[in-house]
Amino acid sequence: MTRDADETVSLTVLHGDDRTELSVEPGASLRRVLIDADLSPYAPATRRLNCGGRGLCATCGVRIRDECPPDHWHDRLAARFGYPRLSCQVTVEEPMTVELVEKVVWGSRERSDGGA
C-alpha cells in the first residue's frame, strides 16, 4: 500500500480520564510523538533519567490497545507476560490507541505494618 506524502494516521492517547486524538506521520516513533504532544510516557523521576529512546531502561512503557507486533526483545516479553510496551520501540504505521500507565518509580511503597 502506498501513501500520499501528506497522509497521516490517527493516534488516540488515553491518559487518566482524558482522551487525546493526534494525527501522526506514518513511521514516527510513538515515544517521540507522545513527548512532542506533551503526553510524556515517563514517571516524574524518569523524565530526565532515561535512556533517550534506545530501549534499554524500560521506563517509557504504555499499553497498546490494538494489535501491534513486537519487534524489540523487551516488547516480545511484554506481549507474552502482559507488561506495558516500550513506546520508544513502537513505530506508528497504522491507526492505534495507546494508554499511558500510571507509574511509581523508586519508592512510594507503604509499609505493611502501617508504621512510618
Side-chain angles (χ1 to χ4, degrees):
M1 178 170 121
T2 59
R3 297 184 192 270
D4 294 334
D6 296 331
E7 189 173 340
T8 60
V9 294
S10 171
L11 175 65
T12 302
V13 183
L14 307 174
H15 45 106
D17 293 332
D18 295 327
R19 175 187 194 104
T20 300
E21 301 286 339
L22 301 171
S23 293
V24 179
E25 195 174 302
S29 160
L30 178 57
R31 174 189 173 271
R32 179 80 294 176
V33 169
L34 292 171
I35 290 170
D36 289 349
D38 201 25
L39 296 167
S40 178
Y42 296 107
T46 59
R47 283 194 175 117
R48 293 189 187 265
L49 304 169
N50 62 71
C51 70
R54 293 186 295 274
L56 301 172
C57 69
T59 61
C60 66
V62 298
R63 297 260 180 223
I64 298 179
R65 297 273 180 104
D66 305 295
E67 183 64 33
C68 179
D71 291 332
H72 186 267
W73 67 267
H74 182 279
D75 281 350
R76 286 191 294 275
L77 287 174
R80 182 174 179 190
F81 295 107
Y83 304 145
R85 298 272 304 274
L86 299 181
S87 63
C88 67
Q89 299 301 310
V90 175
T91 302
V92 181
E93 296 289 352
E94 300 293 332
M96 72 170 50
T97 300
V98 300
E99 179 182 357
L100 300 181
V101 296
E102 186 159 340
K103 298 175 183 160
V104 177
V105 178
W106 303 315
S108 297
R109 185 175 66 181
E110 293 181 21
R111 290 175 49 163
S112 60
D113 64 3

